Amino acid sequence: MTLKIKTRLLTGALILGSSFNALAENQTILNASYDIARELFAEYNPIFAQHWQEKTGNTIEIKQSHAGSSAQARSILQGMPVDVVTFNQVTDVQILHDRGNLIPQEWKKLLDNHSSPYYSTTAFLVRKGNPKNIQDWGDLAKDDVASVFPNPKTSGNGRYTYLAALGYAQKTFGRDNTEQQDNFLAEFLGNVAVFDTGGRGATTSFVERKIGDVLITFESEVNNIRQQYGADEYEVVVPKTSILAEFPVAVVEKNAKKNGTLEVSTEYLNYLYSEKAQRLLAGFNYRVHNETVKAEFSEKFPAVELLTVEGIVGDWDNAMKTLFASGAKLDQLQRR
């Protein structure tokens, strides 16, 4: 082999190697998240990108997709090439294993707190002065109260709202008194002015379109809205009893391996547990697990009895079958 040929081969190899390194160092990941998390991840992503560069010397671009978590899950099963999911309901993550084998079966054991780095509850946003004097779930069944919240058929946020109302009814009327529970829930659902497909749509209906007397959504969202649109225009009401709303996350391993992003995708979720990220989350009015950060923000989060999905309805599988499936309890109550 001549020296000239060897030189060309070596030059080609160096160019190929440089291109490979550039690709490795300038990766892109896609995070599919729930509808109202836009602002949160707009701030988290640059913080993580800086962390990743300091840790590895590599750069990373993070792209976002936002919609109702159930709609996001369907899109992923249909081929959306997502690397990580940051959802607001366990079933919308679990379905990625059950129907697509896109994530490991034991995904909830891969990170702390059942792979839920932060959590929230369901609360109310009312207009200045709280003209309808809405204080608890029972007030939402009054004749003159119009509420707005996401559709439980399309939104994890909406399902948490329904389950929180059911938990209140069980606690108020007794677990065995299903007749009074159903009467309350039928009145509660009958007062819904708008069933939006996701949390952000519900916010738009209440704030911008001026529909309804009360917006029911995550505590984090009601506080963020009040901060954004004016503390003198809205008031936050946290009911004494509500629901534990976990925010599960997972690497979509099948996609991440194919995309060559498994390492950075895993670190992206791990870093949500860091003190810096937990402080950011608390700043966005999410409840967090880090004890140092919890102490710093303790005055921000009022005490509330947090009922669990398991305590209310057994588990998410049972909830989906008996409450939210076509023809199940939600549909029955809405037909009354």
Side-chain angles (χ1 to χ4, degrees), residues 119-260:
Y119 64 102
S120 190
T121 188
T122 299
F124 312 148
L125 186 72
V126 297
R127 305 191 191 279
K128 181 181 179 179
N130 194 2
K132 297 295 177 70
N133 193 28
I134 296 167
Q135 301 295 335
D136 210 341
W137 293 98
D139 298 321
L140 303 181
K142 293 179 178 177
D143 290 340
D144 63 340
V145 172
S147 59
V148 175
F149 66 90
N151 192 335
K153 291 284 191 177
T154 58
S155 167
N157 188 336
R159 285 191 279 276
Y160 274 120
T161 293
Y162 179 88
L163 286 167
L166 173 58
Y168 164 83
Q170 291 174 343
K171 187 177 176 65
T172 302
F173 305 116
R175 292 189 66 90
D176 296 331
N177 194 340
T178 56
E179 182 177 357
Q180 280 193 277
Q181 291 175 31
D182 286 354
N183 289 338
F184 163 75
L185 289 167
E187 292 171 355
F188 166 70
L189 293 169
N191 284 350
V192 177
V194 174
F195 261 146
D196 283 288
T197 57
R200 187 49 50 90
T203 297
T204 299
S205 293
F206 183 75
V207 174
E208 298 182 11
R209 297 171 62 196
K210 308 296 184 184
I211 296 174
D213 303 300
V214 54
L215 171 67
I216 313 168
T217 186
F218 292 124
E219 177 188 46
S220 52
E221 176 74 347
V222 296
N223 281 290
N224 290 338
I225 295 168
R226 188 168 184 259
Q227 291 171 3
Q228 180 179 353
Y229 290 95
D232 56 342
E233 295 295 325
Y234 301 95
E235 296 178 19
V236 173
V237 177
V238 179
K240 294 179 181 179
T241 299
S242 197
I243 192 166
L244 171 64
E246 295 181 301
F247 290 73
V249 301
V251 175
V252 186
E253 289 193 7
K254 188 172 182 179
N255 290 347
K257 289 177 179 177
K258 181 180 179 180
N259 297 337

Side-chain angles (χ1 to χ4, degrees), residues 70-82 95-96 99-102 252 255 258:
S70 296
Q72 292 284 61
R74 287 193 297 271
S75 294
I76 296 168
L77 290 171
Q78 291 167 3
M80 185 164 67
V82 167
I95 198 172
L96 300 180
R99 295 193 184 177
N101 201 28
L102 297 172
V252 186
N255 290 347
K258 181 180 179 180

